[in-house]
Amino acid sequence: MPDRGGGPTGPRIRVGRPSRRARTLLMTLGVLAVLAMAFVMFAGFWTDWLWYRSVAYSSVFTTTLWTKIGLFLVFGLLMAIAIGVNIWLAHRLRPPLSAMSLEQQSLDRYRMSIAPYKKWVLLAVTALVALIAGASASGQWRTWLMYVNGTPFGQKDPQFQLDVAFYAFDLPWYRFMLGFGFAATVLSLIAAALTHYLYGGLRITSPGARATGAATGHLSVLLGIFVSLKAVAYWLDRYGLAVKSSDFKATDNWTGLRYVDANAYLPAKTILFCIAAICAVLFFATLWRRTWQLPVIGFGLMVLSAILIGGLYPAIVQKFQVQPNEQAKEAPFIQKNIDATRDAYGIDDAKVDDYDGQATTGDDSKLRAAANTAASYRVMDPNVVSPAFQQLQQRRNYYQFPTTLDVDRYKDKDGKEQDTIIGLRELNIQGLPKRNWINDHFTYTHGYGAIAACGTTTGTNPTGSPDFTESGLPSTGEFGKYEQRIYYGEKTEQYSIVGGPQKELDYEEDGEKTTSYEGDSGVSLSNSFNRAAYAVAFSEPQIMYSGAIGDGSRILYNRTPKERVEAVAPWLTIDGDAYPAVVDGRIKWIVDAYTTTNGYPYASRTTLGDTTADSLTTNQRAVVAQQNQVNYIRNSVKATVDAYDGKVKLYEWDTEDPVLKTWRKAFPGTVEPRGDIPQELMDHLRYPQDLFKVQRELLTRYHVEDPAQFYSGSDAWQVPDDPTNKEPGSVPPYYLSMKMPGQSEQEFSLTTTFTPRGRPNLGAFMAVNADAASKDYGTMRLLRVTSTVKGPGQVQSELNGNDDVAEFVRNLKGTDSDIEYGNLLTVPLEGGFLYIEPVYTRGGNQNYPLLRKVAASYGSKIVFENNLKDALNAVFGVEDDGSTPPPDSDDPPPGETDEPPATGSAALKKAIADAQKAYSDGEKALQEQDWPAYGKAQEALQDALERAAAAQPKAGSEGDKADGAEKPAGDAKPEGDAKPEGDAKPDSSAEQASDQGS
């Protein structure tokens, strides 16, 4: 307080250093803060290491880590040395400041302020550039590993006769080194120039010489290094022409040399290399001549040459030599591009056959018989029936099925292989009855069971629903006994903590129970350090102190199949569709993986994100690409992920792929030999969709092998839009067991259609053998349509305008239902094309799709019938004589039976009695709240009422006259309180029972 003249009024307060205790406390808090920050950064590293160790791929983690660290240190140190040495050298070569000019006087204050901290400034600058350069270099770990482990392709490019491995593995690394050299040289030049200017070696406004001899020599050497690097760049640019993309009339994304490249740019790059090398020598000569006159003249000549020789001359060649006769000039280069592209994408063996496509006329009975064996017509569309799986097999609100189900092959009870729709009942965390941390991560941890249905038939409860071959909770059926718990799946994105004191919800035959995870997956949380690391990594403090975690607790995360495969093989591109298979008593996720490169000479590039998109692509089904732009792709690896313990296995598939061989050298022991694939797993492997979509996109142009025809584009195709989907997008490829012309047996195939570019009619049909167990796996066949045939869009338009369809749609409006079109299947048949399309209804009393109709088209005829058999009979105008059974005729589509339905009073009385019993059973189950029994009773009631309706003779028929006392089925009322058919709502009742049971 100020002294106001009244003398001291109290003790004087002294402000000084903090007490020793306060200083100790502050230092302790500071140290703790630093340690906490360090632990936060360390937690991510530590948890990654624990995860890789838990999946037995720790070598991937260590190899990647040490490669990144090595590149960071080497290139960070190189950059620091380059910058530091040049700053030090510029300071060492500073002139004496005897005569201070005005310019130097103004800089003097900066020199004075820096002087006490010169060493620290130098260290700070070099450390900063070292960190930036090291971080940039560590991101090139893939490039480095491919460079040092590169495997020859055994093929040479047609221009320079160098192995393709040079462009795929070596050239990217050389370009990185060149870019690093440019960066180091430019930064050194800037740092040296600033230092020389600060200490008087360079003058801007002062009279006299602008630079001292020492500064001139120093900067000239740096400029000479820069120009030398430019000479190297010109030389590498020569090879870069073989993988250069450019716009060209012949095709989009053209890659490789054209006439102007080979005859103008290539010699220009060679000349510019020589000029740059001479110019670099002139800069180095400045060390002796101490003048920049010749180097500046040489540099100007190089710039002028780059404009004239590198720009103007090629433009003249293009204008006056190429354009007047472009087709002839470019023909040899187009041929090189065609050959390289077809080889790089694995389409060089695609067989193209002419096919008339016109429907055969004549013996309709022969056509009808041929239609029975042409294909196993999949009337269950995996892209449509997921809601039916959800409604009929969900069983609990906290389970779910994927939006798009998968198609696989399983043997039926007779040992016959059939196309099967399959989906897993995965956990849906959003459907939990109560959301909290324990429920989300401890109690509800896994899905349960695989659900499968025959792809070629439908069920009867209700009519038009999937014909389930594996169903229930737990699931039972044709799969036999297997581990049904699904801890790893496409929808399982949250972490779970299992195996500890907290029990998990589970099921057995007699209902719910609790369980504890017995697998060895995940990371142990038994020690406090791991718990603390995961509490930090997951930003969840409760992991640290929760009593639900104890001895035996393990944390499961990274649980989607694609995520796990991508993590253990970060050098692979992952197919967008992982699919499940029941193999050897386990549920295995099968994941197709690709090796790619962007450096295949002459092969045109494609963008994976665009070419693999179609009308059904979602984020869940999107390809996981390491590089989006590629010009070489191979399905080199088949991976599996165990749905119970998450174990990942990588199997070699393409034994000749040099890119895979390169990565196997970089990561030894991670990929198992192809011979180790179990036969049971081999039976479920298939040709991958994303690879097929890339190949079909390339084949829209590269099915043509004649350069003149390729240049004209007269036979170019396009992938049509999906006619069954309102949203724009390419038609997806379809898995289908079918016969191509000339084949005697059906093969599991992946199929697609093409239309001529800009036209709606059918241009071609393509199928690839998708059965991995077949010796013809991967064989592509294309049928080029030589006549005018309706395309998929035209068939769909005709169907929409069909009178029967219009009436069907009008009737649906009265029931508040909507129509949904399934996959429009195209099948070659006796010189023509047979189109089959299932039609579903949804709404009214059921909120999931049921198959109600099947449309068929052959030639100019299109029909719309109740089931597949009737549709085939109608489209060919002849009844099936039964000599050749239709596909899977043991399980007919809705309304189709082997024997005609029983009619007459006896059958009607039996049906009414059964309806009465089913109704009574349902009422009893309802009172006891036995929901499964109630659902079964409702199904039995519906079946009885349908039989009653079928048994009722038509008015005026002989049966009607004979049994005139019988009432119509709609008026029949079972004894007691059984409801008539018109009032019965089995669909909604079953739905209500399911919801109440959940």
Side-chain angles (χ1 to χ4, degrees), residues 342 346-354 699 703 705 717 740 743 764-768 776 778-784:
R342 289 174 61 87
I347 57 177
D348 49 326
D349 292 329
K351 301 176 182 177
V352 182
D353 299 316
D354 288 339
L699 281 168
H703 67 279
E705 298 185 61
W717 300 335
M740 289 288 280
Q743 292 180 335
F765 176 82
M766 174 181 173
V768 61
D776 294 324
T779 300
M780 287 184 181
R781 291 192 61 189
L782 288 98
L783 303 179
R784 181 195 285 112

Side-chain angles (χ1 to χ4, degrees), residues 246-251 254 257-261 263 314-315 317-335 707-713:
S246 60
D247 295 329
F248 186 34
K249 176 184 176 182
T251 182
W254 171 276
L257 286 85
R258 291 159 51 195
Y259 182 89
V260 69
D261 296 312
N263 294 278
V317 171
Q318 179 68 25
K319 180 70 174 177
F320 296 101
Q321 289 191 31
V322 178
Q323 288 186 5
N325 192 19
E326 188 172 45
Q327 179 176 316
K329 294 288 187 183
E330 300 289 8
F333 302 95
I334 293 175
Q335 187 64 61
Q709 189 179 13
F710 186 92
Y711 177 85
S712 67

Side-chain angles (χ1 to χ4, degrees), residues 530-791:
N530 285 0
R531 293 175 66 173
Y534 278 100
V536 171
F538 288 3
S539 301
E540 184 49 74
Q542 294 186 79
I543 295 177
M544 186 66 195
Y545 55 78
S546 174
I549 303 175
D551 290 339
S553 291
R554 308 179 74 84
I555 185 168
L556 312 180
Y557 61 105
N558 288 352
R559 297 170 71 181
T560 66
K562 292 192 293 185
E563 192 175 28
R564 294 179 78 79
V565 175
E566 182 193 16
V568 303
W571 36 274
L572 289 174
T573 291
I574 312 301
D575 189 270
D577 183 24
Y579 61 98
V582 179
V583 178
D584 194 23
R586 312 279 286 194
I587 297 176
K588 303 275 190 179
W589 288 100
I590 300 175
V591 183
D592 285 287
Y594 311 109
T595 47
T596 62
T597 182
N598 197 26
Y600 198 101
Y602 274 101
S604 289
R605 290 183 171 87
T606 188
T607 304
L608 292 179
D610 295 336
T611 54
T612 58
D614 58 37
S615 63
L616 301 173
T617 303
T618 62
N619 291 333
Q620 179 100 19
R621 290 289 174 100
V623 66
V624 182
Q626 298 302 331
Q627 54 181 156
N628 202 22
Q629 273 254 328
V630 303
N631 68 350
Y632 172 93
I633 185 170
R634 289 290 186 272
N635 178 210
S636 54
V637 171
K638 301 281 189 181
T640 63
V641 178
D642 193 292
Y644 181 73
D645 61 20
K647 184 177 294 182
V648 181
K649 284 194 174 184
L650 307 176
Y651 293 103
E652 177 190 32
W653 185 248
D654 190 331
T655 58
E656 302 299 324
D657 178 29
V659 182
L660 177 61
K661 292 178 180 178
T662 296
W663 286 117
R664 292 188 72 179
K665 288 166 63 178
F667 296 95
T670 56
V671 180
E672 300 183 24
R674 176 168 175 157
D676 290 352
I677 300 178
Q679 183 58 47
E680 190 172 357
L681 174 61
M682 182 73 77
D683 292 338
H684 293 281
L685 300 181
R686 67 189 193 188
Y687 202 86
Q689 291 188 63
D690 283 343
L691 175 62
F692 184 75
K693 286 188 278 190
V694 170
Q695 290 172 327
R696 74 172 180 178
E697 183 65 33
L698 268 297
L699 281 168
T700 59
R701 291 302 305 268
Y702 286 92
H703 67 279
V704 176
E705 298 185 61
D706 178 67
Q709 189 179 13
F710 186 92
Y711 177 85
S712 67
S714 59
D715 195 25
W717 300 335
Q718 65 184 16
V719 179
D721 285 340
D722 186 357
T724 67
N725 199 309
K726 296 179 181 179
E727 300 296 327
S730 300
V731 61
Y734 296 128
Y735 287 105
L736 182 68
S737 292
M738 57 163 289
K739 291 192 301 185
M740 289 288 280
Q743 292 180 335
S744 59
E745 295 182 355
Q746 294 181 13
E747 294 178 342
F748 185 67
S749 305
L750 190 55
T751 67
T752 191
T753 54
F754 299 98
T755 57
R757 182 164 294 181
R759 294 164 57 198
N761 55 290
L762 189 64
F765 176 82
M766 174 181 173
V768 61
N769 187 317
D771 184 359
S774 169
K775 61 182 178 61
D776 294 324
Y777 171 83
T779 300
M780 287 184 181
R781 291 192 61 189
L782 288 98
L783 303 179
R784 181 195 285 112
V785 180
T786 58
S787 59
T788 303
V789 178
K790 291 181 295 186

